[in-house]
C-alpha cells in the first residue's frame, strides 16, 4: 500500500535528521526522486499517485490551494485533452490513467487522476455533484467530463452508493399502479393521476412499452413448428 504525502515527508525529515546526527553528508532524495507524483509535479508518467484518506480530501477541497487551483468551478471545466482540433473531434476516452501498480501511464491524466487528493467516494458528495447534470441526479457525458473510463465507472458506482447511503438526495417519481393486473383479489381502483400545473406525470414520463419489431414475414407460427420446419429445410439443403 502506498504511503501518503505526509508520511513521506515525515520519513524524509526523520532520515535527514538521522544523517545529520551521524555526521553524514549524503543527500536525501526529494519526493519526486522517490517516485511519488504530487500536484506540483508536472510530468507524472511512471510515478506513483499518493493515497490520501477521505478526511484529507475533504479538508483539501476546503483549503486555499484548491480554491486557487480551480477558482470555484468544477474540476473538469478548464480541462482539455492533449490533442489538436476541437473538443468534439477528440478521440474516445482512454481506458485508465493509472495502471494496476498505481503508476501513471501518461503525463496528461484526467481531471480526477491528475490530482493526488481526489478520488470518488460516497462520503464526499461535493466531488460527485460536480459531475452531475444541472437539476438532475444523472452524470454528465463522459466526453464532457474528460474522465477516463475507469474513473467514469467509479463515478457511477459511487453515485449509486451515495444514493443508498443518503449523502446525495434525489427525487423518486410518483406513479399509480393498477394492482388488479397482478392480484386477483384486489378490488380497489387505482388512484387519480398526479397533476402539476395541469400536466400529468404520465405524459412527461410515459410507461415504457416493450416493442419487438418484426423483421421477417413469418407470423402467427409456433416456435416449435418453426424449428421443425427449419430442420426439414436444413435437410433439403444438405
Amino acid at each position: 500500500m502506498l504511503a501518503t504525502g505526509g508520511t513521506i515527508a515525515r520519513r524524509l525529515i526523520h532520515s535527514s535528521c538521522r544523517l545529520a546526527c551521524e555526521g553524514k553528508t549524503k543527500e536525501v532524495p526529494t519526493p519526486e526522486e522517490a517516485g511519488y507524483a504530487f500536484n506540483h509535479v508536472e510530468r507524472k508518467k511512471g510515478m506513483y499517485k499518493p493515497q490520501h484518506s477521505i478526511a484529507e480530501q475533504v479538508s483539501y477541497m476546503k483549503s486555499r490551494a484548491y480554491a486557487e487551483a480551480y477558482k470555484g468551478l468544477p474540476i473538469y471545466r478548464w480541462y482539455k485533452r492533449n490533442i489538436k482540433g476541437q473538443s468534439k473531434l477528440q478521440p474516445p476516452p482512454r481506458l485508465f490513467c493509472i495502471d494496476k501498480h498505481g503508476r501513471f501511464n501518461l503525463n496528461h491524466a484526467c481531471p480526477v487522476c491528475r490530482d493526488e487528493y481526489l478520488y470518488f467516494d460516497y462520503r464526499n458528495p461535493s466531488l460527485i455533484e460536480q459531475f452531475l447534470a444541472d437539476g438532475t441526479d444523472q452524470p454528465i457525458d463522459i466526453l464532457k467530463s474528460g474522465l477516463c473510463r475507469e474513473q467514469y465507472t467509479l463515478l457511477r458506482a459511487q453515485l449509486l452508493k451515495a444514493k443508498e447511503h443518503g449523502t446525495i438526495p434525489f427525487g423518486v417519481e410518483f406513479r399509480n399502479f393498477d394492482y388488479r393486473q397482478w392480484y386477483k383479489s384486489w378490488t380497489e381502483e387505482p388512484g387519480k393521476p398526479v397533476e402539476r400545473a395541469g400536466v400529468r406525470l404520465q405524459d412527461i414520463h410515459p410507461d415504457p412499452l416493450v416493442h419487438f419489431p418484426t423483421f421477417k414475414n413469418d407470423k402467427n407460427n409456433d416456435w416449435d413448428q418453426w424449428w421443425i420446419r427449419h430442420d426439414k429445410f436444413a435437410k433439403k439443403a444438405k
Side-chain angles (χ1 to χ4, degrees):
M1 185 175 182
L2 299 179
T4 61
T7 305
I8 298 172
R10 287 193 295 270
R11 291 177 180 175
L12 294 175
I13 294 173
H14 178 72
S15 60
S16 61
C17 295
R18 180 175 52 83
L19 293 175
C21 295
E22 294 177 359
K24 298 181 180 179
T25 60
K26 184 178 179 181
E27 295 182 359
V28 180
T30 61
E32 293 82 2
E33 296 175 350
Y36 291 96
F38 295 101
N39 285 343
H40 62 273
V41 179
E42 185 175 356
R43 296 185 175 273
K44 302 180 180 181
K45 186 176 181 179
M47 305 181 73
Y48 291 96
K49 180 178 180 178
Q51 293 185 354
H52 298 277
S53 62
I54 188 64
E56 293 175 341
Q57 181 185 133
V58 173
S59 61
Y60 165 70
M61 294 185 66
K62 297 179 181 179
S63 63
R64 182 179 178 183
Y66 178 86
E68 293 179 353
Y70 299 103
K71 306 298 181 182
L73 298 174
I75 62 175
Y76 66 88
R77 180 60 60 87
W78 302 114
Y79 177 81
K80 187 179 183 300
R81 292 282 299 274
N82 191 16
I83 58 172
K84 295 182 180 180
Q86 300 179 358
S87 299
K88 294 182 179 180
L89 304 178
Q90 61 178 318
R94 60 176 68 95
L95 294 179
F96 53 86
C97 302
I98 302 175
D99 59 12
K100 62 181 180 180
H101 302 291
R103 293 176 299 204
F104 287 90
N105 60 352
L106 71 168
N107 289 321
H108 193 63
C110 71
V112 174
C113 291
R114 65 180 177 177
D115 199 312
E116 62 169 300
Y117 289 93
L118 299 183
Y119 57 90
F120 292 114
D121 194 288
Y122 72 96
R123 293 168 291 181
N124 185 18
S126 59
L127 180 61
I128 300 178
E129 291 175 350
Q130 296 184 15
F131 292 87
L132 300 182
D134 295 338
T136 65
D137 57 341
Q138 300 298 324
I140 59 178
D141 187 70
I142 184 173
L143 292 178
K144 183 179 179 180
S145 65
L147 299 175
C148 59
R149 294 191 181 276
E150 181 182 16
Q151 290 295 338
Y152 194 76
T153 304
L154 292 175
L155 168 63
R156 297 177 61 183
Q158 293 298 323
L159 174 60
L160 179 60
K161 196 171 182 179
K163 291 180 180 179
E164 294 177 350
H165 286 77
T167 56
I168 292 182
F170 64 99
V172 180
E173 59 184 32
F174 184 81
R175 290 183 179 272
N176 291 319
F177 296 94
D178 189 1
Y179 294 100
R180 295 176 297 181
Q181 299 179 3
W182 300 282
Y183 303 99
K184 296 181 180 180
S185 60
W186 195 274
T187 57
E188 298 182 6
E189 296 183 357
K192 296 181 179 180
V194 179
E195 294 186 4
R196 294 180 180 176
V199 180
R200 296 197 314 166
L201 186 63
Q202 287 81 355
D203 299 334
I204 302 176
H205 301 283
D207 292 331
L209 300 178
V210 181
H211 177 64
F212 298 96
T214 304
F215 298 100
K216 297 182 179 180
N217 294 326
D218 190 7
K219 300 179 180 179
N220 300 324
N221 290 321
D222 191 5
W223 279 104
D224 296 335
Q225 297 294 329
W226 189 90
W227 284 112
I228 292 174
R229 290 185 287 110
H230 175 267
D231 295 339
K232 179 180 178 181
F233 291 126
K235 291 179 181 178
K236 286 186 178 180
K238 293 181 180 179

